[in-house]
Amino acid sequence: MTATTTDAPPPASASKQDITVLLLCGGLSHPPLATALNAPLLSLPQTPDRSVLGCWIDAFTHAGLGIDRCRLLTNTDGSPGTMLTPDIETLPDSGPYRGPAGVVRDAVDHLDAQGCCLIIETSRMLSKPETLSGFIGACRNRKGTISVATNPDGSFSGLIAADTEAIRLIPGIGFIDIKEQWLPAASREGFEIIPHMLDAPCYSIRTSKLYLEALRRMGRFDQASGTRVIGRGTHSIFGEPYGGSLIAKSAEIAPGAVVSCSAVGDGAVIESDAVVVRSIVGPRARIKKRELIIDSVVQTSDDLSEHRT
């Protein structure tokens, strides 16, 4: 691998780049948080008015990528990976035993894509939308290469930009992984693997702990931020103020409820005198009056009796 490079993000362009974007949202094994939530991670809130998917779309727009060239690769069996959205066209995975590289190859063939293809793990949350512009700007004119984006700490970011000729090296049958199988094979065939360090992290949100920690690092729990905070300035019995929370604007929080260091999704309802601490409340879920939710994930469901993890 060559030396890591960084590039300043170019200004957003009004013209759309001829780049195909594939968001990996399916597969045999789903992230633990998606399973606990019984919903795709893209549906989680990232800001009070934008989901994780919405923030990715903002990043595409900033980078000059046309939404018409984006596809959401997803399951069709009702599992947590299933994601249907009017914003991005859905393309079902070609099969349950193809692996992430295999479904990418099949999608490229299905779309007859040419040039550069951006591959995104949807168990990731981009901390700044403009960060993607820098990566796209660095990769746009690289022929015969595969660019692997890393976080500032050197960890894998979940973003890969590859020449479709390199993608078509992936066999048309069998289970093929990206990092363990495809990238080494492409390197042996002469495709240059180029690391690119992002100027801001692209956080993994595979587990509830990682998601809440990412929100904390992004300042979503800061009491000084613009995020709606229940219990702002109210001291607990230990004399410390409650921490803030990320609460979707469409969520309903009754007077007297306390939500601390948690994330509450679109359309969720938290009734009076309920307490939610270090937890994730899925879209449209309901927390009943005086219910105590600590270190938990509440599924995207109206029936709470069966959905505590």
Side-chain angles (χ1 to χ4, degrees):
M1 300 178 84
T2 61
T4 300
T5 60
T6 57
D7 298 82
S13 171
S15 62
K16 305 302 182 186
Q17 302 298 335
D18 188 25
I19 295 176
T20 300
V21 180
L22 301 178
L23 297 101
L24 304 181
C25 194
L28 283 174
S29 178
H30 300 292
L33 179 53
T35 300
L37 194 68
N38 196 34
L41 301 183
L42 292 173
S43 66
L44 288 168
Q46 183 167 337
T47 71
D49 56 359
R50 298 293 275 170
S51 65
V52 174
L53 176 61
C55 288
W56 274 114
I57 291 174
D58 291 344
F60 300 154
T61 301
H62 189 278
L65 301 177
I67 298 301
D68 60 316
R69 297 188 61 82
C70 298
R71 295 295 185 275
L72 193 64
L73 306 187
T74 186
N75 297 334
T76 57
D77 58 0
S79 65
T82 303
M83 182 78 181
L84 299 176
T85 169
D87 301 302
I88 297 179
E89 186 174 337
T90 299
L91 182 62
D93 284 353
S94 52
Y97 300 103
R98 281 292 279 138
V103 298
V104 166
R105 154 68 193 267
D106 297 342
V108 165
D109 283 350
H110 177 82
L111 299 170
D112 193 24
Q114 306 295 327
C116 183
C117 180
L118 176 63
I119 304 164
I120 300 174
E121 291 181 355
T122 57
S123 58
R124 301 279 174 165
M125 189 163 65
L126 198 62
S127 56
K128 296 195 309 182
E130 57 269 25
T131 295
L132 185 63
S133 297
F135 183 49
I136 294 300
C139 303
R140 188 181 301 125
N141 298 317
R142 289 175 178 166
K143 293 288 187 180
T145 65
I146 301 174
S147 297
V148 179
T150 64
N151 287 316
D153 65 1
S155 62
F156 179 53
S157 71
L159 303 177
I160 295 176
D163 191 316
T164 51
E165 291 184 10
I167 293 174
R168 288 191 168 93
L169 290 175
I170 299 168
I173 58 173
F175 186 99
I176 310 296
D177 190 76
I178 289 178
K179 290 181 286 185
E180 284 75 15
Q181 293 175 280
W182 170 47
L183 293 183
S187 179
R188 289 193 297 269
E189 292 296 322
F191 287 90
E192 186 179 9
I193 312 296
I194 303 175
H196 173 95
M197 183 177 290
L198 301 177
D199 62 3
C202 186
Y203 294 111
S204 172
I205 56 172
R206 290 182 55 83
T207 67
S208 57
K209 181 178 179 180
L210 287 172
Y211 172 60
L212 293 175
E213 175 62 16
L215 293 180
R216 186 190 68 79
R217 289 178 178 272
M218 293 167 64
R220 299 295 188 261
F221 297 161
D222 293 346
Q223 293 196 41
S225 71
T227 305
R228 290 170 55 198
V229 176
I230 305 303
R232 182 192 297 273
T234 302
H235 284 68
S236 71
I237 59 174
F238 301 104
E240 297 295 332
Y242 296 122
S245 291
L246 172 60
I247 301 174
K249 285 185 176 179
S250 62
E252 298 181 17
I253 314 296
V258 172
V259 183
S260 177
C261 299
S262 298
V264 181
D266 282 330
V269 176
I270 299 180
E271 297 182 2
S272 62
D273 299 319
V275 176
V276 179
V277 179
R278 297 187 304 273
S279 296
I280 301 167
V281 180
R284 300 178 304 282
R286 178 180 292 271
I287 306 299
K288 296 179 180 179
K289 185 175 182 179
R290 297 191 181 91
E291 192 165 8
L292 181 63
I293 306 295
I294 299 178
D295 296 323
S296 300
V297 177
V298 181
Q299 286 189 3
T300 303
S301 171
D302 292 328
D303 180 6
L304 295 187
S305 61
E306 303 176 359
H307 302 306
R308 295 286 186 272
T309 60

